[in-house]
Amino acid sequence: MPSSADFLQYIDQHSQKFIDRLAEAVAIPSVSADAAYRADVIKMSGWLDNQLKGLGVETRLADLGTHVMDGQELPLPPVILGKIGNDPKKKTVLVYGHYDVQPTLRTFQAEKSDGWDTDPFVLTIDEKSGRMYGRGATDDKGPVLGWLNVLEAHQALGLELPVNIRFCFEGMEETDSDPLDRLIQSEVAKGSDNWFAGVDCVCISDNYWLNTRTPCLTYGLRGIIGFKVTISGPTRDLHSGGFGRMVHEPMTDLIYLMGKLVTPDGRILIPGVEEMVAPPDAEERELYEKLDYTIQDVEEAVGAPITISNDKATVLMGRMRMPSLSLHGIEGAFSGPGGKTVIPSTVSGKFSLRLVPPQTPETIEKLVVPYLEQEFAKLNSKNKIKIESMGGGKPWAADYKHWNYEAAIRATKAIYNRSPDLTREGGSIPVTLSFSESLGVNVLLLPMGRGDDGAHSTNEKLDRSNFIEGTKLLGTYLYEIAAIAT
Amino acid sequence: MPSSADFLQYIDQHSQKFIDRLAEAVAIPSVSADAAYRADVIKMSGWLDNQLKGLGVETRLADLGTHVMDGQELPLPPVILGKIGNDPKKKTVLVYGHYDVQPTLRTFQAEKSDGWDTDPFVLTIDEKSGRMYGRGATDDKGPVLGWLNVLEAHQALGLELPVNIRFCFEGMEETDSDPLDRLIQSEVAKGSDNWFAGVDCVCISDNYWLNTRTPCLTYGLRGIIGFKVTISGPTRDLHSGGFGRMVHEPMTDLIYLMGKLVTPDGRILIPGVEEMVAPPDAEERELYEKLDYTIQDVEEAVGAPITISNDKATVLMGRMRMPSLSLHGIEGAFSGPGGKTVIPSTVSGKFSLRLVPPQTPETIEKLVVPYLEQEFAKLNSKNKIKIESMGGGKPWAADYKHWNYEAAIRATKAIYNRSPDLTREGGSIPVTLSFSESLGVNVLLLPMGRGDDGAHSTNEKLDRSNFIEGTKLLGTYLYEIAAIAT
């Protein structure tokens, strides 16, 4: 049951209308991280709610209460829960997206060099390249509107949807998804008649292709745990002339400890951390070798030839299936330009580990803390150490042989005439884990945009073809689910 | 030829007048590091010039031109050159001091906890303890005014000064003594009739006793050289989720290098640096053991029991006769509170070494740079390294068996009834080296204030007894020079 030719044709024929609607959405500056824009985030929820209702979706705005930001108590934007279709013979797909956007400097008028080349809240299309610039174009208004496009085509053509759909669109993803987590958990706790009951699988469009060429499906995300190691010595900063070589200097101890965590080629030195991850077998290794992503792609992305290896699979596995440890910086030391002959009194090193299954923040913390304590003891320093975990999240990996993935693979072949790359990402999307664990169903990450969209940067864009073909992909994915899974 | 009883009595009898004059000087906020106070620094030069003239000193205000600070071109405060006495049968003593002061928060009114307990520019006397609080009280207006007191007593009593005195009072010491250095060098270059010609020794009162109990003479200062090691990798900061374990991270390399510089107990790991300094013989070691300064004094000064050793001589030698290396911080890394999962693209580690004879900035740089390059090469990192010296100054050590020191020792015994401790300091006073090298005469550091005066801190103070007895000490020192050296 592939999607109908009518559906695909409708999308092509109405692409300008879809782009106009995206422009309307981009024009609402729904920046969740800035209190000054909170009214716009809430306006955006109303706009989206109206769109969904107009397309036949039964909606409920879940009130999440208030929170404090920048010293103000602010209303949290609601989670829009939507429902369309209730046929027990059909699969039920939960679609997640978010209608808030990253902050942006609105400096395009004052000083273009400081920020965007165009107004971030005016969708600006470069006709030659087909790039549509605007804050939220790819993250995540484009994908959310892709679903609206699918609904509209079916409504206009009088076509029945091949699956039941549940929508969950939040307005705080860029800032704090905790309120959504609590909503999911409190719903699920209601038992068999909770709002998410009956969901068979989840589809999240909130990430990107690895590159600019090849569609991909994402079946894994790394977890994370952050640490703060504080060494304190004197009660105030000292002058290095007056006290250098008289006292144990906290910086000396801290730098020693931070130097015992990871090698330049990325191997984690904390005993037990590497050992938790089984080495790849030949089959898995081959999977990485086949990915349409080269050493050169990495070099272009970072702007320098600094990959930890010249072997592509090693580099890709470093991001996708291995844990990593990054040293972020030191709080309390001299960090300005120029020189300052200070012995800082209290310094805190910040680092974090990205985790892969079966690692969890808890198991890693139990390895990191005693290791640092032992290494510190070796120093015979009279300074004090304090090790704090700064919280984290578990890694996630889905079964990509599940029908949910199979449907997405078939849909990708149908729309893009090629198999998608199957990838894992190095970062985290916490809601993925929430759905996976709370609902106990397969979760698919089905990206719409490209690797160069610049989701959190200036000049965020979505290619027109990704928006239009991506809309076709989402619709076709629903048909493929119906074809496989019924 | 001890100082006359009349002189000593005059000082005691006129102590209130001297304190009133110190209050006048403190009331002029001559902060040289803040452009907003430059007029006050220049006002202070006029005040001091008038005082000197009134006491019979022939003065010359040496114009140093202008400099740029905070984006403004500002007139440099003049160096006050003063001359009194020209008897070829007498020794000629060059007295150095400075009339500028450290910056200070003037927050005592708004929020006492943030700054001073009293107005820093109102000399405030705690009658019970005898402490006189005020910015510049001990650094360096008290000592400078000590010399005025000596002159005034002689003028009032109709006493002849036992030596010829030359004064050199500058107004940029807390900010940049380079203009004075240039003045000294250009004067000396004039040959036999330069302003400094005929000077037999130098006396600088711009440091402090080691403790609060025992007068000391200082015959050595450490030199310094600062370094900036920059590691650069990607062209922009990266997200640790997206790129962790794909690329060589500059922080990992930098932390490794910074960890190869010094041990927690202060031993410098750069080959050749420690080896330049001969170990102390038994006699020298005994000198440190006898100093009136305990491990407990150090612990009280730094607020924690963190000395690198429990052996007093080791700790004191660490500051006075050994080189030290301190890690100050990192520029370009994350230095804020909280967490940030960033891979910083370019990071610069800052560290400096305090030097002792025969080390010089040049000889140390030649050891540090190749060592860091070799250690970096071992990492096989594809990142780039750049090592910069941030300038420095040579160490200084005087012959403390010279008559200049002998006179100061005798004067101290006469006024304080005890021998002074002979010490070296861990920091630098660049002008000491300028006088020593340019004039080729013995330089003595003869402190007036105590180790707890807080010269560069809030609540800077000078004890009344140190001001009054210190004035007697300065005068008696001149008489002892005349007695020994003629």
Side-chain angles (χ1 to χ4, degrees), chain A residues 213-336:
Chain A
R213 304 172 297 266
T214 311
C216 72
L217 309 180
T218 304
Y219 67 96
L221 294 168
R222 290 198 284 194
I224 187 171
I225 180 168
F227 288 96
K228 177 179 177 180
V229 186
T230 302
I231 308 286
S232 53
T235 47
R236 60 185 172 88
D237 286 358
L238 303 176
H239 187 265
S240 66
F243 294 96
R245 203 158 181 163
M246 286 192 111
V247 298
H248 291 294
E249 301 189 12
M251 272 293 278
T252 307
D253 298 350
L254 180 64
I255 293 288
Y256 174 88
L257 292 179
M258 291 177 80
K260 292 284 176 184
L261 296 171
V262 64
T263 65
D265 60 350
R267 192 165 47 83
I268 297 170
L269 295 171
I270 301 152
V273 172
E274 294 276 333
E275 292 83 344
M276 290 174 81
V277 183
D281 57 21
E283 186 192 340
E284 190 184 355
R285 204 184 154 79
E286 199 184 328
L287 201 142
Y288 291 98
E289 276 160 4
K290 280 188 184 163
L291 288 182
D292 181 15
Y293 200 57
T294 64
I295 293 279
Q296 201 183 336
D297 285 327
V298 182
E299 291 177 350
E300 276 169 18
V302 305
I306 55 171
T307 53
I308 54 162
S309 165
N310 295 325
D311 173 55
K312 169 184 156 177
T314 300
V315 173
L316 290 181
M317 289 192 294
R319 163 153 127 186
M320 297 181 185
R321 61 101 63 212
M322 296 298 284
S324 66
L325 190 154
S326 294
L327 304 171
H328 307 305
I330 296 173
E331 181 183 347
F334 174 58
S335 61

Side-chain angles (χ1 to χ4, degrees), chain B residues 63-370:
Chain B
D63 183 4
L64 301 173
T66 64
H67 74 147
V68 175
M69 177 184 274
D70 303 339
Q72 301 172 54
E73 186 173 357
L74 296 172
L76 283 160
V79 170
I80 303 175
L81 297 172
K83 192 176 280 199
I84 186 165
N86 216 7
D87 185 340
K89 294 192 297 295
K90 294 179 183 170
K91 288 286 178 192
T92 300
V93 179
L94 174 64
V95 165
Y96 166 89
H98 63 90
Y99 60 82
D100 62 323
V101 298
Q102 277 278 314
T104 175
L105 291 170
R106 288 196 77 158
T107 53
F108 63 100
Q109 286 156 321
E111 196 171 2
K112 284 199 176 185
S113 66
D114 255 15
W116 287 62
D117 294 332
T118 59
D119 188 333
F121 299 113
V122 173
L123 190 75
T124 307
I125 303 169
D126 179 47
E127 289 299 336
K128 199 172 153 197
S129 65
R131 290 177 166 191
M132 306 189 294
Y133 294 96
R135 175 53 88 218
T138 194
D139 182 20
D140 188 37
K141 289 177 175 176
V144 166
L145 268 64
W147 292 107
L148 300 186
N149 301 343
V150 170
L151 295 179
E152 182 175 314
H154 284 76
Q155 189 185 54
L157 296 167
L159 279 173
E160 195 186 334
L161 283 165
V163 298
N164 307 313
I165 309 181
R166 302 290 174 267
F167 294 100
C168 177
F169 293 140
E170 71 161 321
M172 284 296 285
E173 196 271 348
E174 301 294 3
T175 306
D176 177 11
S177 278
D178 280 357
L180 173 61
D181 278 359
R182 289 195 297 272
L183 174 73
I184 295 169
Q185 279 159 32
S186 74
E187 271 300 326
V188 169
K190 290 177 186 170
S192 59
D193 64 343
N194 82 78
W195 193 88
F196 295 103
V199 165
D200 294 302
C201 68
V202 179
C203 179
I204 298 178
S205 282
D206 190 21
N207 67 319
Y208 311 93
W209 297 353
L210 265 185
N211 51 39
T212 59
R213 302 173 297 268
T214 311
C216 70
L217 308 181
T218 305
Y219 66 96
L221 294 167
R222 291 198 285 195
I224 187 171
I225 180 168
F227 288 96
K228 177 180 178 180
V229 187
T230 301
I231 308 286
S232 53
T235 48
R236 60 183 172 89
D237 286 358
L238 303 176
H239 187 264
S240 66
F243 293 96
R245 204 160 181 162
M246 287 191 111
V247 297
H248 291 295
E249 302 188 14
M251 271 294 278
T252 307
D253 298 351
L254 180 64
I255 292 288
Y256 175 87
L257 292 179
M258 291 177 81
K260 292 284 176 184
L261 296 172
V262 64
T263 64
D265 59 351
R267 193 164 47 82
I268 297 169
L269 296 171
I270 301 151
V273 173
E274 294 275 333
E275 292 83 344
M276 290 172 82
V277 183
D281 56 23
E283 186 191 341
E284 190 183 355
R285 205 183 151 81
E286 199 185 327
L287 202 142
Y288 290 98
E289 277 161 4
K290 280 189 184 163
L291 288 182
D292 182 16
Y293 200 55
T294 64
I295 293 280
Q296 202 183 335
D297 285 328
V298 182
E299 291 178 350
E300 275 170 17
V302 305
I306 55 171
T307 53
I308 54 162
S309 166
N310 295 325
D311 173 56
K312 168 183 158 179
T314 301
V315 173
L316 289 181
M317 288 192 293
R319 162 154 126 186
M320 297 182 185
R321 61 100 64 212
M322 296 297 285
S324 66
L325 191 154
S326 294
L327 305 170
H328 307 304
I330 297 172
E331 181 182 349
F334 174 58
S335 60
K340 187 178 179 186
T341 54
V342 65
I343 297 174
S345 60
T346 299
V347 286
S348 300
K350 312 283 179 72
F351 65 93
S352 66
L353 292 94
R354 297 282 168 173
L355 313 180
V356 296
Q359 298 171 330
T360 65
E362 292 69 29
T363 56
I364 294 299
E365 186 174 350
K366 280 187 192 136
L367 296 172
V368 170
V369 174

Side-chain angles (χ1 to χ4, degrees), chain B residues 371-389:
Chain B
Y371 173 68
L372 284 174
E373 283 169 349
Q374 282 159 27
E375 288 296 318
F376 182 68
K378 287 183 194 167
L379 294 180
N380 286 316
S381 168
K382 295 175 187 166
N383 292 321
K384 304 277 183 212
I385 188 169
K386 185 176 167 191
I387 306 164
E388 292 164 276
S389 153

Side-chain angles (χ1 to χ4, degrees), chain A residues 48-61 80-85 95 147-148 150-152 155 161 164-169 195:
Chain A
L48 183 55
D49 184 43
N50 278 337
Q51 292 284 337
L52 288 164
K53 281 178 181 154
L55 295 166
V57 179
E58 176 195 334
T59 62
R60 172 186 142 202
L61 298 192
I80 303 174
L81 297 172
K83 193 176 277 198
I84 187 166
V95 164
W147 292 107
L148 299 186
V150 170
L151 295 178
E152 181 175 315
Q155 188 185 55
L161 283 164
N164 307 313
I165 308 181
R166 303 290 174 267
F167 294 100
C168 176
F169 292 141
W195 194 87

Side-chain angles (χ1 to χ4, degrees), chain A residues 1-255:
Chain A
M1 188 162 73
S3 56
S4 72
D6 286 354
F7 166 72
L8 299 178
Q9 195 177 43
Y10 186 94
I11 301 300
D12 279 329
Q13 285 171 348
H14 295 80
S15 63
Q16 190 54 50
K17 188 184 170 193
F18 299 151
I19 291 167
D20 292 346
R21 179 159 53 199
L22 181 59
E24 255 185 69
V26 165
I28 303 171
S30 51
V31 177
S32 57
D34 186 338
Y37 289 95
R38 184 55 52 89
D40 292 298
V41 185
I42 289 166
K43 181 181 170 189
M44 185 69 204
S45 72
W47 182 92
L48 183 55
D49 184 43
N50 278 337
Q51 292 284 337
L52 288 164
K53 281 178 181 154
L55 295 166
V57 179
E58 176 195 334
T59 62
R60 172 186 142 202
L61 298 192
D63 183 4
L64 301 173
T66 64
H67 75 147
V68 175
M69 177 184 274
D70 303 339
Q72 301 173 54
E73 186 172 357
L74 296 171
L76 284 160
V79 170
I80 303 174
L81 297 172
K83 193 176 277 198
I84 187 166
N86 217 7
D87 185 339
K89 296 193 296 292
K90 292 178 183 171
K91 288 286 178 191
T92 299
V93 179
L94 174 64
V95 164
Y96 166 89
H98 64 89
Y99 59 84
D100 63 321
V101 299
Q102 276 278 314
T104 176
L105 291 170
R106 288 197 78 159
T107 53
F108 63 99
Q109 286 157 321
E111 196 170 2
K112 285 198 175 185
S113 65
D114 255 15
W116 287 62
D117 295 332
T118 59
D119 188 332
F121 300 113
V122 172
L123 190 75
T124 306
I125 303 168
D126 178 46
E127 289 300 336
K128 199 172 153 196
S129 66
R131 291 176 165 192
M132 307 189 294
Y133 294 96
R135 175 53 88 216
T138 193
D139 181 19
D140 187 39
K141 289 177 175 175
V144 166
L145 268 65
W147 292 107
L148 299 186
N149 301 343
V150 170
L151 295 178
E152 181 175 315
H154 283 77
Q155 188 185 55
L157 296 167
L159 279 173
E160 196 186 332
L161 283 164
V163 298
N164 307 313
I165 308 181
R166 303 290 174 267
F167 294 100
C168 176
F169 292 141
E170 70 162 321
M172 284 296 284
E173 196 271 347
E174 300 295 4
T175 306
D176 177 12
S177 278
D178 280 357
L180 174 60
D181 277 359
R182 288 195 297 273
L183 174 74
I184 296 169
Q185 278 159 32
S186 73
E187 271 299 326
V188 169
K190 291 178 186 170
S192 59
D193 64 343
N194 83 77
W195 194 87
F196 295 104
V199 164
D200 294 303
C201 67
V202 179
C203 179
I204 299 177
S205 283
D206 189 22
N207 67 318
Y208 312 93
W209 298 352
L210 265 184
N211 52 38
T212 60
R213 304 172 297 266
T214 311
C216 72
L217 309 180
T218 304
Y219 67 96
L221 294 168
R222 290 198 284 194
I224 187 171
I225 180 168
F227 288 96
K228 177 179 177 180
V229 186
T230 302
I231 308 286
S232 53
T235 47
R236 60 185 172 88
D237 286 358
L238 303 176
H239 187 265
S240 66
F243 294 96
R245 203 158 181 163
M246 286 192 111
V247 298
H248 291 294
E249 301 189 12
M251 272 293 278
T252 307
D253 298 350
L254 180 64
I255 293 288

